[in-house]
Amino acid sequence: MDPASQDINLNSPNKALGVDRTDSLSDVPVEGAMGNPANPPPPGLTEEEAEELRTELTKVEEEINTLRQVLCAKERHAAELKRKLGLNPLNELRQNLTRSWQDVQTSNAYVRTAETLGEWNERVTRSDLYLSASATLDDITHSEAYKKTQETLSQAGQKTTAALSTMSTALSKKIGDMRNSPTFKSFEDKMGNLKYKVVGQRGNGDAVSSPTDTTPTQENPSF
């Protein structure tokens, strides 16, 4: 290029360049050209198969995002319905526990365990040892010694009850006789007078005479 024809404009994008830019840009490789793609397909797949799989993956991810949004909307709607029905977390937990227990009862493991325990119980109740023990206990309950012991205990209980009743009656009568005695009445009158004096002085702030005190109160002479 002739140096005289060089662009000397300071605002020109080609300032201070002495060579043609088209020659330098022609050496830059173009992406995807000369059989050099940006994302080469995995081994065993062609470019068309890889592109088809990428398209399908994009669609699946979009469907997942859509389902997540739908799930969030459904959860919010369910929470609103629970709030309107007055279902608090405690009731929900109780319902979940009840449902879980019902699931356990209907599970195969629980059914097999119940059947096994039933078989063991049947075997035990049909065993000779159990039958012998039951027969021995039945013989004991029907024996004369057992009946006599039971009658003796029953009579002892009845006698004890009668003795306690008699003692309670005698004690009540004794207390009644003591309260009707002259000594107890005199003591009761003295305690009543003392209580009247103490309570009367505290309540009125003045000295209160006893009901049995017949001495008249002398007034202070006037000066």
Side-chain angles (χ1 to χ4, degrees), residues 10 15 37 83 89-90 107 124 126 141 148 184 192 203 218-219:
L10 297 178
K15 62 182 179 178
R83 185 187 65 80
L90 182 60
S107 63
V124 170
R126 289 184 178 182
T141 55
K148 289 181 180 180
F184 187 84
Q218 183 177 3
E219 297 179 356

Side-chain angles (χ1 to χ4, degrees), residues 138-173:
D138 188 57
D139 294 339
I140 290 174
T141 55
H142 289 86
S143 63
E144 294 296 331
Y146 180 83
K147 291 181 179 179
K148 289 181 180 180
T149 303
Q150 190 175 12
E151 291 176 357
T152 303
L153 292 176
S154 177
Q155 292 176 1
Q158 293 177 359
K159 290 181 180 179
T160 303
T161 303
L164 292 175
S165 178
T166 303
M167 185 175 63
S168 177
T169 303
L171 185 60
S172 299
K173 184 178 180 182

Side-chain angles (χ1 to χ4, degrees), residues 5-210:
S5 62
Q6 183 179 0
D7 188 6
I8 60 173
N9 188 5
L10 297 178
N11 296 325
S12 174
N14 296 324
K15 62 182 179 178
L17 292 178
V19 294
D20 191 359
R21 293 179 58 87
T22 58
D23 297 335
S24 62
L25 292 177
S26 62
D27 298 333
V28 179
V30 180
E31 184 178 352
M34 301 298 291
N36 240 344
N39 295 321
L45 294 177
T46 62
E47 182 65 29
E48 291 77 9
E49 292 175 347
E51 186 63 27
E52 184 178 356
L53 292 177
R54 294 190 192 97
T55 305
E56 186 177 357
L57 177 60
T58 303
K59 291 181 180 179
V60 171
E61 289 179 348
E62 291 177 354
E63 292 176 357
I64 291 174
N65 293 331
T66 303
L67 291 176
R68 286 177 179 173
Q69 295 175 1
V70 173
L71 179 60
C72 293
K74 293 292 184 181
E75 289 179 348
R76 289 194 297 269
H77 185 57
E80 183 66 19
L81 293 177
K82 289 179 182 180
R83 185 187 65 80
K84 291 181 179 179
L85 291 173
L87 298 177
N88 52 23
L90 182 60
N91 292 335
E92 188 175 358
L93 177 61
R94 187 179 302 143
Q95 292 177 359
N96 292 335
L97 291 177
T98 303
R99 191 180 302 109
S100 300
W101 175 242
Q102 292 176 354
D103 294 340
V104 169
Q105 288 179 333
T106 56
S107 63
N108 295 329
Y110 183 87
V111 173
R112 287 196 299 268
T113 303
E115 291 176 354
T116 303
L117 291 177
E119 292 176 358
W120 289 355
N121 185 26
E122 187 176 0
R123 291 178 182 177
V124 170
T125 54
R126 289 184 178 182
S127 63
D128 295 336
L129 180 62
Y130 182 84
L131 294 176
S132 177
S134 299
T136 302
L137 182 61
D138 188 57
D139 294 339
I140 290 174
T141 55
H142 289 86
S143 63
E144 294 296 331
Y146 180 83
K147 291 181 179 179
K148 289 181 180 180
T149 303
Q150 190 175 12
E151 291 176 357
T152 303
L153 292 176
S154 177
Q155 292 176 1
Q158 293 177 359
K159 290 181 180 179
T160 303
T161 303
L164 292 175
S165 178
T166 303
M167 185 175 63
S168 177
T169 303
L171 185 60
S172 299
K173 184 178 180 182
K174 186 67 176 179
I175 293 176
D177 294 341
M178 288 177 59
R179 296 190 64 179
N180 293 328
S181 63
T183 304
F184 187 84
K185 287 185 176 181
S186 176
F187 177 75
E188 188 176 13
D189 291 339
K190 291 180 180 179
M191 292 300 296
N193 294 335
L194 179 61
K195 180 180 179 181
Y196 180 80
K197 290 180 181 180
V198 173
V199 174
Q201 290 177 0
R202 290 181 179 179
N204 299 330
D206 300 330
V208 181
S209 60
S210 173

